[in-house]
PDB file of all heavy atoms in Angstrom:
ATOM      1  N   LEU K   1     -11.591  -0.927  10.682  1.00  0.00           N
ATOM      2  CA  LEU K   1     -12.465  -0.087   9.867  1.00  0.00           C
ATOM      3  C   LEU K   1     -12.802   1.204  10.625  1.00  0.00           C
ATOM      4  O   LEU K   1     -13.278   1.160  11.759  1.00  0.00           O
ATOM      5  CB  LEU K   1     -13.753  -0.838   9.520  1.00  0.00           C
ATOM      6  CG  LEU K   1     -14.738  -0.115   8.610  1.00  0.00           C
ATOM      7  CD1 LEU K   1     -14.099   0.176   7.263  1.00  0.00           C
ATOM      8  CD2 LEU K   1     -15.989  -0.950   8.422  1.00  0.00           C
ATOM      9  N   GLY K   2     -12.514   2.354  10.042  1.00  0.00           N
ATOM     10  CA  GLY K   2     -12.811   3.650  10.633  1.00  0.00           C
ATOM     11  C   GLY K   2     -11.830   4.108  11.695  1.00  0.00           C
ATOM     12  O   GLY K   2     -12.067   5.118  12.345  1.00  0.00           O
ATOM     13  N   SER K   3     -10.735   3.407  11.881  1.00  0.00           N
ATOM     14  CA  SER K   3      -9.774   3.765  12.923  1.00  0.00           C
ATOM     15  C   SER K   3      -8.503   4.350  12.313  1.00  0.00           C
ATOM     16  O   SER K   3      -8.100   3.985  11.211  1.00  0.00           O
ATOM     17  CB  SER K   3      -9.416   2.524  13.738  1.00  0.00           C
ATOM     18  OG  SER K   3      -8.417   2.828  14.686  1.00  0.00           O
ATOM     19  N   THR K   4      -7.877   5.246  13.066  1.00  0.00           N
ATOM     20  CA  THR K   4      -6.576   5.774  12.646  1.00  0.00           C
ATOM     21  C   THR K   4      -5.449   5.176  13.484  1.00  0.00           C
ATOM     22  O   THR K   4      -4.291   5.458  13.231  1.00  0.00           O
ATOM     23  CB  THR K   4      -6.539   7.315  12.784  1.00  0.00           C
ATOM     24  OG1 THR K   4      -6.822   7.661  14.134  1.00  0.00           O
ATOM     25  CG2 THR K   4      -7.536   7.975  11.850  1.00  0.00           C
ATOM     26  N   ASN K   5      -5.807   4.366  14.449  1.00  0.00           N
ATOM     27  CA  ASN K   5      -4.816   3.690  15.290  1.00  0.00           C
ATOM     28  C   ASN K   5      -4.510   2.330  14.682  1.00  0.00           C
ATOM     29  O   ASN K   5      -5.401   1.642  14.195  1.00  0.00           O
ATOM     30  CB  ASN K   5      -5.339   3.517  16.719  1.00  0.00           C
ATOM     31  CG  ASN K   5      -5.611   4.849  17.381  1.00  0.00           C
ATOM     32  OD1 ASN K   5      -4.908   5.819  17.132  1.00  0.00           O
ATOM     33  ND2 ASN K   5      -6.642   4.903  18.196  1.00  0.00           N
ATOM     34  N   SER K   6      -3.254   1.943  14.743  1.00  0.00           N
ATOM     35  CA  SER K   6      -2.862   0.673  14.134  1.00  0.00           C
ATOM     36  C   SER K   6      -2.313  -0.286  15.176  1.00  0.00           C
ATOM     37  O   SER K   6      -1.880   0.105  16.247  1.00  0.00           O
ATOM     38  CB  SER K   6      -1.810   0.911  13.052  1.00  0.00           C
ATOM     39  OG  SER K   6      -0.616   1.388  13.627  1.00  0.00           O
ATOM     40  N   VAL K   7      -2.335  -1.569  14.774  1.00  0.00           N
ATOM     41  CA  VAL K   7      -1.754  -2.645  15.576  1.00  0.00           C
ATOM     42  C   VAL K   7      -0.725  -3.334  14.680  1.00  0.00           C
ATOM     43  O   VAL K   7      -1.005  -3.634  13.517  1.00  0.00           O
ATOM     44  CB  VAL K   7      -2.843  -3.647  16.024  1.00  0.00           C
ATOM     45  CG1 VAL K   7      -2.229  -4.815  16.770  1.00  0.00           C
ATOM     46  CG2 VAL K   7      -3.893  -2.954  16.857  1.00  0.00           C
ATOM     47  N   ALA K   8       0.462  -3.575  15.219  1.00  0.00           N
ATOM     48  CA  ALA K   8       1.528  -4.208  14.428  1.00  0.00           C
ATOM     49  C   ALA K   8       1.171  -5.668  14.138  1.00  0.00           C
ATOM     50  O   ALA K   8       0.681  -6.389  15.002  1.00  0.00           O
ATOM     51  CB  ALA K   8       2.853  -4.126  15.164  1.00  0.00           C
ATOM     52  N   VAL K   9       1.411  -6.083  12.898  1.00  0.00           N
ATOM     53  CA  VAL K   9       1.221  -7.487  12.486  1.00  0.00           C
ATOM     54  C   VAL K   9       2.416  -7.903  11.653  1.00  0.00           C
ATOM     55  O   VAL K   9       3.078  -7.076  11.037  1.00  0.00           O
ATOM     56  CB  VAL K   9      -0.080  -7.691  11.677  1.00  0.00           C
ATOM     57  CG1 VAL K   9      -1.310  -7.399  12.520  1.00  0.00           C
ATOM     58  CG2 VAL K   9      -0.099  -6.842  10.427  1.00  0.00           C
ATOM     59  N   SER K  10       2.690  -9.196  11.632  1.00  0.00           N
ATOM     60  CA  SER K  10       3.791  -9.696  10.809  1.00  0.00           C
ATOM     61  C   SER K  10       3.304 -10.573   9.670  1.00  0.00           C
ATOM     62  O   SER K  10       4.047 -10.817   8.721  1.00  0.00           O
ATOM     63  CB  SER K  10       4.794 -10.465  11.658  1.00  0.00           C
ATOM     64  OG  SER K  10       4.156 -11.555  12.285  1.00  0.00           O
ATOM     65  N   ALA K  11       2.055 -11.045   9.758  1.00  0.00           N
ATOM     66  CA  ALA K  11       1.501 -11.883   8.687  1.00  0.00           C
ATOM     67  C   ALA K  11      -0.014 -11.859   8.768  1.00  0.00           C
ATOM     68  O   ALA K  11      -0.589 -11.732   9.851  1.00  0.00           O
ATOM     69  CB  ALA K  11       2.011 -13.305   8.807  1.00  0.00           C
ATOM     70  N   VAL K  12      -0.662 -11.963   7.622  1.00  0.00           N
ATOM     71  CA  VAL K  12      -2.115 -12.127   7.558  1.00  0.00           C
ATOM     72  C   VAL K  12      -2.412 -13.262   6.585  1.00  0.00           C
ATOM     73  O   VAL K  12      -1.718 -13.429   5.585  1.00  0.00           O
ATOM     74  CB  VAL K  12      -2.831 -10.827   7.123  1.00  0.00           C
ATOM     75  CG1 VAL K  12      -2.695  -9.744   8.155  1.00  0.00           C
ATOM     76  CG2 VAL K  12      -2.346 -10.336   5.785  1.00  0.00           C
ATOM     77  N   PRO K  13      -3.431 -14.079   6.871  1.00  0.00           N
ATOM     78  CA  PRO K  13      -3.762 -15.176   5.966  1.00  0.00           C
ATOM     79  C   PRO K  13      -4.365 -14.657   4.662  1.00  0.00           C
ATOM     80  O   PRO K  13      -5.172 -13.732   4.667  1.00  0.00           O
ATOM     81  CB  PRO K  13      -4.771 -16.009   6.753  1.00  0.00           C
ATOM     82  CG  PRO K  13      -5.215 -15.168   7.884  1.00  0.00           C
ATOM     83  CD  PRO K  13      -4.225 -14.078   8.074  1.00  0.00           C
ATOM     84  N   LEU K  14      -3.953 -15.255   3.564  1.00  0.00           N
ATOM     85  CA  LEU K  14      -4.432 -14.838   2.246  1.00  0.00           C
ATOM     86  C   LEU K  14      -5.928 -15.061   2.085  1.00  0.00           C
ATOM     87  O   LEU K  14      -6.572 -14.317   1.343  1.00  0.00           O
ATOM     88  CB  LEU K  14      -3.684 -15.607   1.146  1.00  0.00           C
ATOM     89  CG  LEU K  14      -2.518 -14.885   0.482  1.00  0.00           C
ATOM     90  CD1 LEU K  14      -1.834 -15.783  -0.520  1.00  0.00           C
ATOM     91  CD2 LEU K  14      -2.921 -13.593  -0.154  1.00  0.00           C
ATOM     92  N   ASP K  15      -6.501 -16.044   2.764  1.00  0.00           N
ATOM     93  CA  ASP K  15      -7.930 -16.312   2.592  1.00  0.00           C
ATOM     94  C   ASP K  15      -8.810 -15.245   3.247  1.00  0.00           C
ATOM     95  O   ASP K  15     -10.008 -15.193   3.012  1.00  0.00           O
ATOM     96  CB  ASP K  15      -8.303 -17.706   3.095  1.00  0.00           C
ATOM     97  CG  ASP K  15      -7.993 -17.927   4.561  1.00  0.00           C
ATOM     98  OD1 ASP K  15      -7.487 -16.994   5.210  1.00  0.00           O
ATOM     99  OD2 ASP K  15      -8.248 -19.044   5.046  1.00  0.00           O
ATOM    100  N   SER K  16      -8.225 -14.341   4.039  1.00  0.00           N
ATOM    101  CA  SER K  16      -8.998 -13.237   4.613  1.00  0.00           C
ATOM    102  C   SER K  16      -8.716 -11.906   3.903  1.00  0.00           C
ATOM    103  O   SER K  16      -9.183 -10.857   4.341  1.00  0.00           O
ATOM    104  CB  SER K  16      -8.712 -13.110   6.110  1.00  0.00           C
ATOM    105  OG  SER K  16      -7.362 -12.811   6.337  1.00  0.00           O
ATOM    106  N   VAL K  17      -7.981 -11.968   2.797  1.00  0.00           N
ATOM    107  CA  VAL K  17      -7.643 -10.774   2.011  1.00  0.00           C
ATOM    108  C   VAL K  17      -8.545 -10.695   0.787  1.00  0.00           C
ATOM    109  O   VAL K  17      -8.654 -11.652   0.023  1.00  0.00           O
ATOM    110  CB  VAL K  17      -6.157 -10.803   1.570  1.00  0.00           C
ATOM    111  CG1 VAL K  17      -5.849  -9.620   0.659  1.00  0.00           C
ATOM    112  CG2 VAL K  17      -5.240 -10.816   2.771  1.00  0.00           C
ATOM    113  N   VAL K  18      -9.222  -9.551   0.627  1.00  0.00           N
ATOM    114  CA  VAL K  18     -10.090  -9.336  -0.536  1.00  0.00           C
ATOM    115  C   VAL K  18      -9.243  -8.942  -1.745  1.00  0.00           C
ATOM    116  O   VAL K  18      -9.439  -9.441  -2.848  1.00  0.00           O
ATOM    117  CB  VAL K  18     -11.127  -8.236  -0.247  1.00  0.00           C
ATOM    118  CG1 VAL K  18     -11.953  -7.926  -1.479  1.00  0.00           C
ATOM    119  CG2 VAL K  18     -12.015  -8.617   0.904  1.00  0.00           C
ATOM    120  N   GLY K  19      -8.306  -8.038  -1.542  1.00  0.00           N
ATOM    121  CA  GLY K  19      -7.452  -7.577  -2.625  1.00  0.00           C
ATOM    122  C   GLY K  19      -6.229  -6.871  -2.073  1.00  0.00           C
ATOM    123  O   GLY K  19      -6.217  -6.426  -0.926  1.00  0.00           O
ATOM    124  N   MET K  20      -5.205  -6.791  -2.908  1.00  0.00           N
ATOM    125  CA  MET K  20      -3.958  -6.122  -2.510  1.00  0.00           C
ATOM    126  C   MET K  20      -3.479  -5.236  -3.650  1.00  0.00           C
ATOM    127  O   MET K  20      -3.701  -5.551  -4.822  1.00  0.00           O
ATOM    128  CB  MET K  20      -2.870  -7.151  -2.196  1.00  0.00           C
ATOM    129  CG  MET K  20      -3.120  -7.976  -0.972  1.00  0.00           C
ATOM    130  SD  MET K  20      -1.785  -9.144  -0.676  1.00  0.00           S
ATOM    131  CE  MET K  20      -2.015 -10.299  -2.021  1.00  0.00           C
ATOM    132  N   GLU K  21      -2.815  -4.165  -3.253  1.00  0.00           N
ATOM    133  CA  GLU K  21      -2.248  -3.262  -4.247  1.00  0.00           C
ATOM    134  C   GLU K  21      -0.900  -2.760  -3.764  1.00  0.00           C
ATOM    135  O   GLU K  21      -0.657  -2.664  -2.563  1.00  0.00           O
ATOM    136  CB  GLU K  21      -3.210  -2.091  -4.503  1.00  0.00           C
ATOM    137  CG  GLU K  21      -3.623  -1.364  -3.258  1.00  0.00           C
ATOM    138  CD  GLU K  21      -4.949  -0.626  -3.403  1.00  0.00           C
ATOM    139  OE1 GLU K  21      -5.660  -0.831  -4.384  1.00  0.00           O
ATOM    140  OE2 GLU K  21      -5.243   0.177  -2.514  1.00  0.00           O
ATOM    141  N   SER K  22      -0.029  -2.490  -4.720  1.00  0.00           N
ATOM    142  CA  SER K  22       1.289  -1.940  -4.388  1.00  0.00           C
ATOM    143  C   SER K  22       1.404  -0.548  -4.994  1.00  0.00           C
ATOM    144  O   SER K  22       0.737  -0.230  -5.981  1.00  0.00           O
ATOM    145  CB  SER K  22       2.409  -2.837  -4.903  1.00  0.00           C
ATOM    146  OG  SER K  22       2.429  -2.821  -6.316  1.00  0.00           O
ATOM    147  N   TYR K  23       2.246   0.254  -4.367  1.00  0.00           N
ATOM    148  CA  TYR K  23       2.408   1.646  -4.764  1.00  0.00           C
ATOM    149  C   TYR K  23       3.854   1.921  -5.127  1.00  0.00           C
ATOM    150  O   TYR K  23       4.749   1.569  -4.390  1.00  0.00           O
ATOM    151  CB  TYR K  23       2.006   2.575  -3.611  1.00  0.00           C
ATOM    152  CG  TYR K  23       0.573   2.407  -3.186  1.00  0.00           C
ATOM    153  CD1 TYR K  23       0.205   1.447  -2.249  1.00  0.00           C
ATOM    154  CD2 TYR K  23      -0.415   3.199  -3.730  1.00  0.00           C
ATOM    155  CE1 TYR K  23      -1.113   1.286  -1.869  1.00  0.00           C
ATOM    156  CE2 TYR K  23      -1.733   3.047  -3.354  1.00  0.00           C
ATOM    157  CZ  TYR K  23      -2.082   2.093  -2.425  1.00  0.00           C
ATOM    158  OH  TYR K  23      -3.372   1.937  -2.057  1.00  0.00           O
ATOM    159  N   GLN K  24       4.054   2.562  -6.276  1.00  0.00           N
ATOM    160  CA  GLN K  24       5.380   2.993  -6.680  1.00  0.00           C
ATOM    161  C   GLN K  24       5.313   4.478  -7.021  1.00  0.00           C
ATOM    162  O   GLN K  24       4.373   4.914  -7.672  1.00  0.00           O
ATOM    163  CB  GLN K  24       5.903   2.237  -7.914  1.00  0.00           C
ATOM    164  CG  GLN K  24       6.142   0.765  -7.710  1.00  0.00           C
ATOM    165  CD  GLN K  24       4.893  -0.068  -7.907  1.00  0.00           C
ATOM    166  OE1 GLN K  24       4.010   0.304  -8.652  1.00  0.00           O
ATOM    167  NE2 GLN K  24       4.821  -1.198  -7.231  1.00  0.00           N
ATOM    168  N   ILE K  25       6.302   5.213  -6.579  1.00  0.00           N
ATOM    169  CA  ILE K  25       6.402   6.632  -6.921  1.00  0.00           C
ATOM    170  C   ILE K  25       7.625   6.809  -7.802  1.00  0.00           C
ATOM    171  O   ILE K  25       8.729   6.407  -7.439  1.00  0.00           O
ATOM    172  CB  ILE K  25       6.522   7.502  -5.650  1.00  0.00           C
ATOM    173  CG1 ILE K  25       5.262   7.356  -4.799  1.00  0.00           C
ATOM    174  CG2 ILE K  25       6.756   8.957  -6.027  1.00  0.00           C
ATOM    175  CD1 ILE K  25       5.326   8.066  -3.471  1.00  0.00           C
ATOM    176  N   SER K  26       7.396   7.401  -8.967  1.00  0.00           N
ATOM    177  CA  SER K  26       8.505   7.642  -9.888  1.00  0.00           C
ATOM    178  C   SER K  26       8.567   9.131 -10.220  1.00  0.00           C
ATOM    179  O   SER K  26       7.582   9.844 -10.133  1.00  0.00           O
ATOM    180  CB  SER K  26       8.335   6.812 -11.164  1.00  0.00           C
ATOM    181  OG  SER K  26       7.106   7.140 -11.795  1.00  0.00           O
ATOM    182  N   VAL K  27       9.746   9.579 -10.602  1.00  0.00           N
ATOM    183  CA  VAL K  27       9.949  10.979 -10.979  1.00  0.00           C
ATOM    184  C   VAL K  27       9.724  11.100 -12.481  1.00  0.00           C
ATOM    185  O   VAL K  27      10.286  10.338 -13.266  1.00  0.00           O
ATOM    186  CB  VAL K  27      11.376  11.451 -10.604  1.00  0.00           C
ATOM    187  CG1 VAL K  27      11.643  12.854 -11.123  1.00  0.00           C
ATOM    188  CG2 VAL K  27      11.565  11.385  -9.103  1.00  0.00           C
ATOM    189  N   GLU K  28       8.896  12.058 -12.873  1.00  0.00           N
ATOM    190  CA  GLU K  28       8.678  12.326 -14.292  1.00  0.00           C
ATOM    191  C   GLU K  28       9.798  13.246 -14.762  1.00  0.00           C
ATOM    192  O   GLU K  28       9.791  14.448 -14.506  1.00  0.00           O
ATOM    193  CB  GLU K  28       7.311  12.945 -14.511  1.00  0.00           C
ATOM    194  CG  GLU K  28       6.181  11.986 -14.203  1.00  0.00           C
ATOM    195  CD  GLU K  28       4.832  12.541 -14.598  1.00  0.00           C
ATOM    196  OE1 GLU K  28       4.778  13.558 -15.331  1.00  0.00           O
ATOM    197  OE2 GLU K  28       3.841  11.936 -14.187  1.00  0.00           O
ATOM    198  N   LYS K  29      10.773  12.650 -15.450  1.00  0.00           N
ATOM    199  CA  LYS K  29      12.006  13.373 -15.787  1.00  0.00           C
ATOM    200  C   LYS K  29      11.783  14.525 -16.755  1.00  0.00           C
ATOM    201  O   LYS K  29      12.341  15.600 -16.573  1.00  0.00           O
ATOM    202  CB  LYS K  29      13.033  12.395 -16.351  1.00  0.00           C
ATOM    203  CG  LYS K  29      13.503  11.400 -15.319  1.00  0.00           C
ATOM    204  CD  LYS K  29      14.443  10.374 -15.904  1.00  0.00           C
ATOM    205  CE  LYS K  29      14.803   9.355 -14.835  1.00  0.00           C
ATOM    206  NZ  LYS K  29      15.487   8.216 -15.370  1.00  0.00           N
ATOM    207  N   ALA K  30      10.966  14.332 -17.776  1.00  0.00           N
ATOM    208  CA  ALA K  30      10.764  15.387 -18.773  1.00  0.00           C
ATOM    209  C   ALA K  30      10.077  16.604 -18.152  1.00  0.00           C
ATOM    210  O   ALA K  30      10.526  17.742 -18.337  1.00  0.00           O
ATOM    211  CB  ALA K  30       9.942  14.857 -19.942  1.00  0.00           C
ATOM    212  N   ALA K  31       9.006  16.383 -17.409  1.00  0.00           N
ATOM    213  CA  ALA K  31       8.289  17.498 -16.774  1.00  0.00           C
ATOM    214  C   ALA K  31       9.165  18.198 -15.742  1.00  0.00           C
ATOM    215  O   ALA K  31       9.156  19.427 -15.633  1.00  0.00           O
ATOM    216  CB  ALA K  31       7.005  16.995 -16.128  1.00  0.00           C
ATOM    217  N   THR K  32       9.933  17.418 -14.981  1.00  0.00           N
ATOM    218  CA  THR K  32      10.815  17.995 -13.969  1.00  0.00           C
ATOM    219  C   THR K  32      11.890  18.861 -14.623  1.00  0.00           C
ATOM    220  O   THR K  32      12.148  19.980 -14.183  1.00  0.00           O
ATOM    221  CB  THR K  32      11.464  16.878 -13.135  1.00  0.00           C
ATOM    222  OG1 THR K  32      10.435  16.179 -12.439  1.00  0.00           O
ATOM    223  CG2 THR K  32      12.460  17.427 -12.139  1.00  0.00           C
ATOM    224  N   THR K  33      12.510  18.362 -15.679  1.00  0.00           N
ATOM    225  CA  THR K  33      13.550  19.115 -16.390  1.00  0.00           C
ATOM    226  C   THR K  33      12.986  20.391 -16.994  1.00  0.00           C
ATOM    227  O   THR K  33      13.580  21.464 -16.869  1.00  0.00           O
ATOM    228  CB  THR K  33      14.186  18.237 -17.485  1.00  0.00           C
ATOM    229  OG1 THR K  33      14.713  17.059 -16.886  1.00  0.00           O
ATOM    230  CG2 THR K  33      15.285  18.978 -18.216  1.00  0.00           C
TER     231      THR K  33
END
């Protein structure tokens, strides 16, 4: 909390997770064209 430095992890227990979100970036073809 409040840090910009990270520590590498390979797994975290689900019972210590409040919520998760995924991010997708897509190209808006009509606006781009």
Side-chain angles (χ1 to χ4, degrees):
L1 183 61
S3 176
T4 57
N5 298 326
S6 66
V7 176
V9 296
S10 59
V12 293
L14 261 177
D15 59 0
S16 62
V17 175
V18 175
M20 292 181 290
E21 54 204 11
S22 68
Y23 300 87
Q24 295 85 28
I25 297 175
S26 59
V27 174
E28 293 188 13
K29 293 176 184 169
T32 297
T33 303

